[in-house]
Amino acid sequence: MTKLRHTPDGDYLPGMGRHWLMPLYDPFSLLLGAGRLHRALLDAAGIRAGQRVLEIGCGTGNLLTALARRTSGVDAGGIDPDRSALRRARRKAQRGGLPVRYEYAFAAALPLPDAHIDVALSSLMLHHLDGPGRDRALREVRRVLAPGGRLHVLDFDTGDLTASVFTAAGFAAVTETGRGRLHRLRYVTLRADRDPPAAPAPGGRA
């Protein structure tokens, strides 16, 4: 049974449900096929060198590790409320010589200024939050995204991540970018744009 951890900063769910199971997190993710999911999310995100990227709920850093290995020159960082997971993420970055920063924080209170990030990522994290917590996190992501920024989400397809959830948080447009199955679990990838798509120039093609 999973159990919420209570801290002065807020409550969170450890990656494996309980802290003593954390050593099993990476082997379990590998067995589950998380690497394939991360590739699907990064393919949809199309991150380029020079962009600032933030992952909310980064866990042990597997997604940002994959990003750093496939795209150089990205200013990447992750936040998570689980200090044990962050220690593992930092060790991976150090051992691999990867320029990825990890910081203790909750998604509903991001330690970043307004309009600071080009791309935000969320991988199998939003379903851990209740409705109000998810909505606060999405509003915070919208706040730290720069004009033209976007949020890319990969999560289980439970029917809860509707377009209205994102537009209520201030996002202008939501697009489904893919879906598939992970064993018997269905997943979906989404793109939420901070601003409306740019209008075509006069006389130009749409």
Side-chain angles (χ1 to χ4, degrees), residues 87-168:
R87 285 194 292 271
R88 292 175 179 272
R90 288 168 180 147
R91 284 200 296 267
K92 288 178 188 175
Q94 184 176 23
R95 286 197 303 262
L98 303 175
V100 182
R101 301 179 309 282
Y102 294 103
E103 187 170 353
Y104 169 81
F106 284 77
L110 297 174
L112 294 169
D114 295 354
H116 186 72
I117 297 297
D118 299 304
V119 180
L121 301 172
S122 172
S123 174
L124 301 179
M125 189 280 275
L126 290 178
H127 73 274
H128 285 301
L129 306 177
D130 62 15
R134 178 201 60 206
D135 296 343
R136 288 193 297 271
L138 291 177
R139 288 194 295 270
E140 268 293 88
V141 172
R142 170 62 173 74
R143 178 185 67 80
V144 303
L145 281 173
R150 61 193 189 275
L151 164 65
H152 287 270
V153 173
L154 183 150
D155 220 311
F156 295 122
D157 186 12
T158 59
D160 296 333
L161 291 179
T162 61
S164 62
V165 167
F166 295 90
T167 56

Side-chain angles (χ1 to χ4, degrees), residues 58-74:
C58 63
T60 63
N62 292 326
L63 177 61
L64 292 181
T65 295
L67 170 61
R69 286 174 175 167
R70 71 186 272 170
T71 307
S72 61
V74 175

